[in-house]
Amino acid sequence: MTEAVSRPTLEAVAARAGVSRATVSRVVNGGDGVRAPLAERVRQAVAELGYVPNQAARSLVTKRHDAVAVVIAEPETRVFTDPFFALQLRGISKELTAHDNQLVLLLTEGRDDHTRVARYLSGGHVDGALVFSLHLDDPLPGLIRDAGVPTVFGGRPGWGDDGHGAGDTRRTAEDPGVVYVDCDNRGGARAAVRHLVGLGRRRIAHLTGPLDQTSAVDRLDGYRDVMGEAPGASDPRLVVESDFTPAGGERAMRELLDRCPDVDGVFAANDLTALGALRVLRARGRRVPEDVAVIGFDDMLPVAEEADPSLTTVRQDIEEMGRLMARLLLRGLSGGRDRPDARDRTDGHDRQEARGATHGRVRTGPALDRPHAGGVILPTTLIRRASA
């Protein structure tokens, strides 16, 4: 065992700088009222001694913990195998790190975990929470509201227009107190299905995500928007529910082929579902895209590019969504605007344009038909590759 090394104290810094302990405390904790020459002497003493502020003591002064909880309403087996979560966490981590904040990851495997998370948040360990992958019956929003923790949601909150659901929060996604970041799920789905129609496909199916999540519902609505434009084109047998996983995509594709062997186009609710569909089509002797054209959603690299064939998909900037969630939360905590403005809405749009693939792009605008004051909706882009 190594011996504990004594750390420089606030008193030691004060002695080195020739100032009072209170002056050092104000400088270290970002307070005002210290003349510039004195503040510089304190900072120099801090550097010379290698002083590191005690976070517990600092929190008593600043009322801040410089820590943010990231709550993912999924079991760890899903979080650590799905690259979507890695990308979103990377965006969040980058933004928090840039502002010297710690990320505290909380996962919910079941109902007992909801109580544990609520108890942790109520304990005053973090300054705010970023919450995503919610399900419609999830009690987390209500528990977090009761904990009084500033929160930004990833994805459009799914509790109903009457305010019921999601832990009976009595709030809606349109509530100005609800801040969230999402992508243009519905518009992206429309672009995908219109592309399949433009290719001459007539029996176009949709493998959905879990329909207790708003992203999956919005993508299904986008599919129905386009299929309803042609009389007789919509067939309820062409919609099969899946779960955003490759195994779920395989199950849904097998069920679809058994129901509708004449299918010639598939819009899968995400890239992982599309991968499962491609495996089944290959096993059944169906050529892609000659016999069946396939489109996914997410454009998760390298998943989409390394699919066989490479996957045409709807790109959403997952990392940017995470970054923007953290940015909005930190802005609110710092006393600035905690509501999105025009710059937030165009930021992601410009990044999409700069980073889009070269295979061809069709961009979409806001997914929702009416503005949501508390929501930032990032655009999506159709990336055309070999599968459609």
Side-chain angles (χ1 to χ4, degrees):
M1 295 178 63
T2 59
E3 293 184 2
V5 179
S6 61
R7 301 191 307 171
T9 64
L10 207 65
E11 289 77 8
V13 175
R16 173 67 67 94
V19 299
S20 70
R21 185 183 188 280
T23 297
V24 174
S25 179
R26 285 199 297 273
V27 173
V28 168
N29 293 309
D32 298 324
V34 180
R35 291 183 289 114
L38 290 183
E40 182 55 36
R41 277 162 52 187
V42 170
R43 285 191 285 269
Q44 183 176 349
V46 166
E48 290 173 354
L49 294 175
Y51 173 75
V52 178
N54 181 289
Q55 184 59 41
R58 185 177 183 180
S59 295
L60 291 174
V61 177
T62 64
K63 309 302 182 185
R64 289 281 299 273
H65 301 275
D66 294 331
V68 170
V70 177
V71 185
I72 306 178
E74 298 288 353
E76 63 180 33
T77 51
R78 172 86 190 280
V79 172
F80 294 122
T81 57
D82 188 333
F84 176 92
F85 297 109
L87 288 168
Q88 196 152 35
L89 284 170
R90 185 164 67 184
I92 291 170
S93 179
K94 284 182 178 179
E95 190 70 15
L96 294 181
T97 299
H99 292 84
D100 199 21
N101 274 251
Q102 300 301 315
L103 185 158
V104 180
L105 181 62
L106 304 174
L107 308 179
T108 60
E109 190 86 26
R111 295 293 174 177
D112 290 342
D113 289 326
H114 293 139
T115 304
R116 173 182 56 82
V117 168
R119 186 170 59 248
Y120 182 84
L121 295 177
S122 299
H125 303 289
V126 295
D127 300 313
L130 302 171
V131 183
F132 56 94
S133 203
L134 285 172
H135 299 259
L136 294 183
D137 63 348
D138 205 313
L140 277 173
L143 295 172
I144 292 169
R145 178 207 59 193
D146 293 341
V149 179
T151 304
V152 174
F153 293 96
R156 180 172 63 82
W159 43 89
D161 289 338
D162 61 356
H164 291 73
D168 196 23
T169 63
R170 297 296 192 273
R171 302 172 78 179
T172 71
E174 288 75 30
D175 186 326
V178 176
V179 181
Y180 66 92
V181 177
D182 204 354
C183 82
D184 182 3
N185 288 298
R186 189 166 184 168
R190 289 174 182 147
V193 180
R194 283 177 180 144
H195 180 64
L196 290 171
V197 171
L199 293 175
R201 308 302 164 126
R202 293 295 175 263
R203 296 286 286 169
I204 300 171
H206 179 42
L207 309 184
T208 79
L211 295 178
D212 64 346
Q213 292 189 295
T214 56
S215 58
V217 172
D218 289 344
R219 292 170 198 180
L220 173 59
D221 286 344
Y223 164 82
R224 286 172 170 165
D225 288 342
V226 178
M227 297 304 292
E229 292 171 357
S234 182
D235 181 345
R237 295 179 304 158
L238 291 169
V239 175
V240 183
E241 186 170 354
S242 187
D243 60 3
F244 284 154
T245 69
E250 291 181 13
R251 289 192 299 270
M253 193 68 226
R254 283 193 291 267
E255 181 178 343
L256 174 64
L257 290 174
D258 292 341
R259 286 186 192 179
C260 305
D262 59 340
V263 63
D264 61 1
V266 172
F267 167 50
N270 75 339
D271 291 349
L272 297 182
T273 301
L275 288 184
L278 289 174
R279 291 172 189 164
V280 172
L281 288 168
R282 188 180 307 112
R284 294 281 185 97
R286 304 293 182 93
R287 298 171 301 164
V288 177
E290 292 85 355
D291 301 325
V292 182
V294 177
I295 297 180
F297 200 113
D298 284 337
D299 195 31
M300 293 188 295
L301 303 179
V303 173
E305 288 185 337
E306 294 182 359
D308 183 21
S310 61
L311 186 63
T312 294
T313 186
V314 177
R315 184 175 195 273
Q316 60 169 323
D317 195 334
I318 302 167
E319 186 174 327
E320 171 70 4
M321 288 174 63
R323 188 199 68 81
L324 188 51
M325 286 173 62
R327 176 181 167 192
L328 289 174
L329 180 65
L330 293 175
R331 178 187 297 171
L333 294 174
S334 66
R337 296 164 302 176
D338 59 358
R339 299 286 301 283
D341 59 18
R343 283 180 298 177
D344 292 322
R345 294 179 183 275
T346 58
D347 227 8
H349 192 282
D350 295 337
R351 290 169 184 262
Q352 293 268 10
E353 182 65 23
R355 299 186 206 164
T358 58
H359 297 79
R361 298 171 297 187
V362 177
R363 295 173 53 197
T364 68
L368 305 178
D369 294 327
R370 60 187 185 279
H372 289 249
V376 177
I377 308 297
L378 298 180
T380 55
T381 307
L382 179 66
I383 307 298
R384 294 191 288 268
R385 297 192 180 94
S387 69

